[in-house]
Amino acid sequence: MKADIICVGTEYITGMLPESNTGYLAGRMAELDVNVRRITLVGSYDEEIKKALDDSYKDVDTVLITGGIGYGRNQNIFADYFLKKLIFSEKVFAHMKKQAEKSGVKTDDVQLKSLAEFPEGAMIFDNYEGYVPGYVLETDGKTLIVLPFLSTDIKAIFEDDIVGYFYKRVSIGKAGMKIILNEKAEKKGIRELLSSLGDLCKSENPSLDIVKEEKNYVLKIRAVGPTNGDAMILANLFASDCCQKIGNDCILNIKEDAI
């Protein structure tokens, strides 16, 4: 799989700020078997950004873009480029407001609402480190991955969500595990189980579901990787993390699960 990275920011072009995010992104994408074909720096001008997108989509179908597109800039440029309507997300707005207040960042509702607008059909990824989200837009055979400005935000969204997204795109191996819970776990209830699992519930790869099979709650784990063996290693490691979070005294059995 081939992809380009576009970094937006006049402050990088003029040398006002050093640019280090693309090195991290290119390195992590290489680890995920994504071949980064080129990295482009452009100023914060709509026409320059559109031209960079045109140039990239001549050769690749996936572009990851970051930089000056999260703070102070809405998503009109990408909606226009892909001929999409902008859709406001009340859920994302509420999450951003909560995160901003938690971080002590001073914002106003007008700014946050402009950041909670996305091109129609975008797959939105909440930011749990800062507050500006990221998203993926797939349309007409082209994929655009949009990440915010700050390094901490970029890494948080990339590791929490984009890694899983790339695994699904480039991987062919699959594996499943299931953790069968006992009566003690059932007495705790779904809400307490989810609380115990914490961020594992948000994982994209492996993914985690809680279902009821016959008389027991079951944690169903699904993983993908370059090969079935790689996927099984990932699933086993994730299952171990789940067991540690829940407690071995709540587990009846652990076994492979056919996909």
Side-chain angles (χ1 to χ4, degrees), residues 25-211:
L25 291 168
R28 288 295 286 121
M29 289 163 75
E31 293 172 358
L32 298 169
D33 291 331
V34 179
N35 179 17
V36 176
R37 177 182 155 279
R38 66 181 168 186
I39 297 172
T40 304
L41 292 179
V42 298
S44 302
Y45 307 104
D46 289 3
E47 291 308 313
E48 293 297 321
I49 296 170
K50 290 178 181 178
K51 183 178 183 303
L53 288 170
D54 285 340
D55 290 343
S56 287
Y57 283 128
K58 290 176 184 176
D59 303 305
V60 301
D61 61 6
T62 300
V63 175
L64 188 151
I65 190 163
T66 184
I69 41 87
Y71 296 82
R73 177 187 291 272
N74 61 31
Q75 302 301 324
N76 273 320
I77 181 173
F78 304 123
D80 291 344
Y81 187 85
F82 288 104
L83 303 179
K84 299 285 186 179
K85 294 189 296 183
L86 275 180
I87 305 295
F88 173 73
S89 171
E90 187 69 44
K91 181 179 177 182
V92 173
F93 169 70
H95 176 81
M96 283 197 294
K97 192 167 184 176
K98 180 180 177 182
Q99 284 295 113
E101 291 172 353
K102 178 181 174 182
S103 303
V105 178
K106 292 184 178 180
T107 60
D108 57 56
D109 284 0
V110 174
Q111 179 191 21
L112 290 181
K113 284 182 178 179
S114 71
L115 294 172
E117 292 182 326
F118 305 91
E120 187 177 17
M123 183 190 314
I124 305 166
F125 300 126
D126 286 330
N127 185 345
Y128 288 88
E129 182 66 30
Y131 65 95
V132 179
Y135 66 87
V136 172
L137 180 64
E138 297 177 338
T139 182
D140 298 327
K142 299 174 182 176
T143 298
L144 179 70
I145 301 171
V146 179
L147 295 178
F149 171 73
L150 294 179
S151 296
T152 51
D153 293 351
I154 288 171
K155 290 179 180 179
I157 296 172
F158 191 91
E159 298 300 336
D160 288 347
D161 301 294
I162 305 303
V163 167
Y165 175 79
F166 275 131
Y167 263 122
K168 290 178 180 178
R169 288 280 304 273
V170 304
S171 300
I172 57 173
K174 298 179 181 180
M177 297 283 295
K178 63 181 179 179
I179 302 172
I180 304 170
L181 305 178
N182 59 24
E183 293 180 357
K184 184 174 181 178
E186 186 169 358
K187 288 179 181 178
K188 289 184 176 182
I190 288 290
R191 182 169 296 180
E192 189 170 341
L193 287 173
L194 291 173
S195 178
S196 299
L197 289 165
D199 288 345
L200 295 179
C201 295
K202 298 185 296 183
S203 173
E204 290 286 330
N205 184 46
S207 62
L208 177 66
D209 289 313
I210 299 181
V211 299

